[in-house]
Structure formats: C-alpha cells, structure tokens
Amino acid sequence: MAVIVQSEPFDAGEQLNKFTKGAGSAGAVISFSGVVRDIPGGLGYLNIEHYPNMAEKAILKVCDKAHKRWKLDDILVIHRFGRLKKGEPIMMVLTAS
C-alpha cells in the first residue's frame, strides 16, 4: 500500500502498467483517474494546497479501511497539489484483488 502526494504530473498509463506488473497473483486490477475539469465561464487553473504528512496520513487511513473491508492485495493512491491546468491529471487510485 502506498500513497504519493506530489506536485509533478504523472502518466496514468505508465502507473497502471507498473502497478499491474507488481500485482502478483491478483485476479483484478481496478483503476480510477481524475483530471482537472473545466467549469462554465472557463477555468484558468486550479490551486490545491496541502499540509505535508497530514494529507498522506488521511489518505492512508482511507486506504487501510478499504484494504480491510474488501481484502485488497494492494493499493496505490497518487494525488497532486499545486497549480494544475484543466485536463491535467489530479489523482489516481489503483487497487489489486
């Protein structure tokens, strides 16, 4: 189980392939990706702030609950912060079971 909070963009396809290769004997890999969407009137950018370590701990807590509830083999969450333009990846959740 891993949580990555970063300002840099990531390649969702690359992350999915890497996670799937490391999924071992899992029979399913599920992914969810979010992108910054436009809003009526236009969006110049989205600025996401976070408190280092606090954000990671909060996300890990949710991951731990999911891991126990659904007996997941592995979880990876990537979440970005900083100044993001529309269309850019904002987050990704990967699970293996």
Side-chain angles (χ1 to χ4, degrees):
M1 184 176 342
V3 172
I4 302 167
V5 179
Q6 64 185 40
S7 60
E8 301 82 18
F10 59 88
D11 182 317
E14 181 181 311
Q15 292 297 326
L16 175 59
N17 288 337
K18 184 178 173 183
F19 184 82
T20 301
K21 285 180 184 175
S25 63
V29 171
I30 305 298
S31 69
F32 175 84
S33 301
V35 296
V36 178
R37 63 182 170 157
D38 201 359
I39 59 171
L43 175 73
Y45 65 91
L46 180 65
N47 192 43
I48 300 177
E49 296 181 5
H50 84 296
Y51 294 102
N53 297 321
M54 191 171 151
E56 290 89 337
K57 285 180 186 177
I59 296 170
L60 272 170
K61 189 174 178 180
V62 173
C63 290
D64 190 49
K65 282 183 175 181
H67 186 262
K68 289 175 183 171
R69 182 174 180 183
W70 291 293
K71 299 180 182 167
L72 300 171
D73 295 335
D74 200 6
I75 303 171
L76 171 62
V77 176
I78 304 169
H79 202 295
R80 292 183 60 204
F81 66 92
R83 188 175 171 138
L84 310 173
K85 295 183 256 179
K86 66 180 176 182
E88 288 189 322
I90 190 172
M91 56 80 61
M92 182 172 208
V93 178
L94 298 157
T95 61
S97 182

